Amino acid sequence: MVEARYYEKLENKKVKCKLCPHGCVILPGNTGFCRARKNVDGKLYSLNYGYISSIAFDPIEKKPLYHFYPGSSILSIGTFGCSFRCLHCQNYEISQLTPNVFEVDTERLIELAKKDKDCIGIAFTYNEPTIWFEYVLDVAKKFKEEGFKTVLVTNGYLNKEPLLELLEVIDAANIDLKAFSDEFYKKVCSGDLESVKRFIEICSKKIHIEITTLIIPTLNDSEDEIENLAKWLSSIDDRIPLHLTRYFPRYKMNLPPTPKETLFKLREIAKRYLMYVYLGNI
């Protein structure tokens, strides 16, 4: 285990994690909301430092990033845990459960990346990478030193101070904007909208970003909601690509798949405000 960054020691060996907006106060022997940070005798430790649950070479478009080195591949890795508990999680086996993990040292990851002539670098993805903060920071630094690019695929739930530090070594991010409703965030994801909006605003000034919204029938598929989302995004920069993707039943959610017609309609609405709107999972 590696001692965590961004936490405060409290009385009676309790600690307060300051990595994400949850701000967990953790008793000795317990973990935080993300299940990846544990109080051991009054110190906070990262449980997933160096541990990988998933690894693959993916097309950059799968992240999805369409405007960042299109046609290239990227070494993609994930661990376990998440700062959200989305009822429809696509990767719940690693985000909400405890998967098998293995260790791969950074030098081996760099060696793998160099073997693929189309590989531009490394993506931290599959589960939520911001809770892997210490490891992502260290690995990204090493990859940057080798001239590679670094990518986050993230829910955007991270406090400002650690985010600014992380952005020093990150080149691009696909950020999930799961809905444009705080009620959705609270009931479906166990998070809040304003924190994610702040994350997007900060990233937009420093790195290349693209946004993904999974469209779920009856929950975030209204024309007004997507219009408001697109309008807000355009107020930051109307060239930010938006990916509207099709939902399928998964994990604890059994609503029927999103009709393709809904996505076609919502794309036309979003295109009133944004230059680049793409559809996924269709």
Side-chain angles (χ1 to χ4, degrees):
M1 294 189 298
V2 170
E3 187 172 0
R5 304 274 304 281
Y6 296 102
Y7 79 95
E8 175 187 356
K9 294 181 178 180
L10 303 176
E11 73 284 349
N12 301 321
K13 294 190 175 181
K14 292 186 290 188
V15 299
K16 180 179 176 65
C17 182
K18 294 186 171 182
L19 188 65
C20 88
H22 285 303
C24 296
V25 174
I26 308 169
L27 297 174
N30 289 358
T31 58
F33 183 93
C34 65
R35 302 185 304 111
R37 304 169 84 74
K38 183 176 183 178
N39 180 343
V40 180
D41 199 29
K43 287 185 177 181
L44 190 64
Y45 287 88
S46 168
L47 297 181
N48 55 10
Y49 189 98
Y51 289 110
I52 292 173
S53 67
S54 311
I55 183 168
F57 281 101
D58 287 332
I60 193 72
E61 289 83 3
K62 189 178 175 183
K63 295 303 101 187
L65 290 171
Y66 282 13
H67 292 223
F68 187 75
Y69 296 89
S72 63
S73 72
I74 193 158
L75 180 63
S76 301
I77 62 172
T79 184
F80 66 87
C82 190
S83 49
F84 281 174
R85 289 185 184 155
C86 297
L87 300 179
H88 55 288
C89 182
Q90 304 298 295
N91 289 325
Y92 72 92
E93 296 95 340
I94 62 173
S95 69
Q96 307 302 325
L97 306 179
T98 304
N100 293 324
V101 294
F102 50 91
E103 291 184 81
V104 182
D105 63 42
T106 308
E107 289 69 27
R108 177 61 177 148
L109 292 173
I110 291 170
E111 187 180 303
L112 283 170
K114 287 181 176 179
K115 284 184 176 179
D116 185 333
K117 64 180 177 59
D118 295 321
C119 180
I120 59 166
I122 192 163
F124 304 96
T125 177
Y126 302 136
N127 74 309
E128 177 48 48
T130 58
I131 63 164
W132 212 10
F133 180 84
E134 295 78 12
Y135 183 71
V136 170
L137 193 67
D138 289 347
V139 173
K141 283 178 181 176
K142 294 279 184 66
F143 267 76
K144 295 288 286 181
E145 288 168 5
E146 295 289 333
F148 282 114
K149 302 300 179 185
T150 55
V151 167
L152 286 181
V153 180
T154 175
N155 63 21
Y157 213 60
L158 188 68
N159 286 334
K160 182 178 180 180
E161 189 178 353
L163 173 58
L164 290 174
E165 182 177 9
L166 194 56
L167 290 179
E168 294 298 320
V169 292
I170 296 296
D171 295 297
N174 183 286
I175 306 163
D176 274 340
L177 182 53
K178 295 180 181 290
F180 211 62
S181 152
D182 202 50
E183 181 182 13
F184 180 102
Y185 266 92
K186 285 183 167 61
K187 289 184 176 180
V188 178
C189 306
S190 302
D192 75 272
L193 173 61
E194 289 305 314
S195 294
V196 178
K197 288 169 66 177
R198 182 171 61 246
F199 183 102
I200 291 170
E201 288 168 346
I202 293 170
C203 288
S204 71
K205 295 176 173 64
K206 294 185 172 292
I207 62 171
H208 173 81
I209 64 168
E210 302 189 22
I211 304 299
T212 296
T213 301
L214 184 73
I215 303 298
I216 305 175
T218 73
L219 295 183
N220 68 350
D221 64 340
S222 76
E223 295 183 16
D224 286 346
E225 181 164 347
I226 298 307
E227 181 169 24
N228 289 334
L229 185 156
K231 193 184 298 185
W232 173 78
L233 204 54
S234 73
S235 73
I236 300 172
D237 187 342
D238 66 1
R239 296 166 299 172
I240 296 173
L242 172 63
H243 302 262
L244 301 175
T245 60
R246 190 183 187 199
Y247 151 89
F248 290 91
R250 187 77 169 147
Y251 193 33
K252 296 181 179 181
M253 191 172 286
N254 57 11
L255 290 168
T258 313
K260 292 181 183 180
E261 295 72 22
T262 300
L263 288 161
F264 297 144
K265 177 179 62 178
L266 295 179
R267 177 176 61 181
E268 294 310 308
I269 291 170
K271 283 173 71 174
R272 298 174 191 166
Y273 303 94
L274 298 167
M275 292 177 65
Y276 307 108
V277 184
Y278 303 106
L279 300 183
N281 292 351
I282 60 167

